Amino acid sequence: MKFCSVAAWVAVISKILAIIGAVAFPIIDERKRRKASINRLARREYALVKEIENDLKDSIDDVVYLESYKQLESFNSMLMILSDDEELIQISEKINNLFLKQTDTECFNRELRELFQRLESMYSD
């Protein structure tokens, strides 16, 4: 029975590690890019909603007439095309619906805070 040398074992193990690395690194890199993309989109959604919230304090107009709301609508339309993150899309839809119905101020503020917290958790990880 013939035994392989240590050098042969090292060569085989290094080839196996190279194959694993060639497969794993692109997957890891893609996950990092996806997370960064979701992070940027969540930050932008958050900033737009904050802007609308500030504009609502200073305006007597309905939210649909605010330029900041129009920007949010445009962003959310783009978000549905570009993002495959279901949670972010759901949050943006809930925020939009919340602005459109704005009935009870206390309920509106509480729900908006909850959605803000969910957005913050998406980009603070």
Side-chain angles (χ1 to χ4, degrees), residues 24-75:
F25 287 136
I27 293 170
I28 292 168
D29 190 45
E30 178 59 31
R31 285 184 182 164
K32 285 180 183 177
R33 274 187 286 186
R34 183 177 184 279
K35 174 108 174 104
S37 174
I38 291 169
N39 185 314
R40 282 189 307 275
L41 293 170
R43 283 181 189 270
R44 183 64 184 145
E45 179 85 15
Y46 185 88
L48 287 167
V49 172
K50 276 293 197 184
E51 189 176 330
I52 293 170
E53 190 178 41
N54 290 334
D55 289 350
L56 279 174
K57 291 176 187 174
D58 301 334
S59 176
I60 58 172
D61 289 336
D62 194 25
V63 70
V64 294
Y65 298 113
L66 296 175
E67 186 60 35
S68 52
Y69 178 75
K70 292 175 185 175
Q71 288 177 1
L72 178 71
E73 273 188 321
S74 177
F75 176 78

Side-chain angles (χ1 to χ4, degrees), residues 5-110:
S5 68
V6 173
W9 277 102
V10 170
V12 169
I13 291 172
S14 64
K15 286 180 184 179
I16 292 171
L17 290 175
I19 292 169
I20 291 171
V23 171
F25 287 136
I27 293 170
I28 292 168
D29 190 45
E30 178 59 31
R31 285 184 182 164
K32 285 180 183 177
R33 274 187 286 186
R34 183 177 184 279
K35 174 108 174 104
S37 174
I38 291 169
N39 185 314
R40 282 189 307 275
L41 293 170
R43 283 181 189 270
R44 183 64 184 145
E45 179 85 15
Y46 185 88
L48 287 167
V49 172
K50 276 293 197 184
E51 189 176 330
I52 293 170
E53 190 178 41
N54 290 334
D55 289 350
L56 279 174
K57 291 176 187 174
D58 301 334
S59 176
I60 58 172
D61 289 336
D62 194 25
V63 70
V64 294
Y65 298 113
L66 296 175
E67 186 60 35
S68 52
Y69 178 75
K70 292 175 185 175
Q71 288 177 1
L72 178 71
E73 273 188 321
S74 177
F75 176 78
N76 285 345
S77 296
M78 179 207 59
L79 179 68
M80 301 221 184
I81 295 168
L82 294 179
S83 180
D84 61 350
D85 188 81
E86 288 296 319
E87 183 180 7
L88 182 56
I89 291 171
Q90 287 175 354
I91 291 171
S92 69
E93 288 175 347
K94 286 180 181 180
I95 288 171
N96 188 55
N97 292 336
L98 192 59
F99 277 126
L100 289 177
K101 67 180 180 183
Q102 275 190 57
T103 51
D104 179 18
T105 305
E106 184 177 318
C107 183
F108 171 79
N109 288 332
R110 181 176 37 79

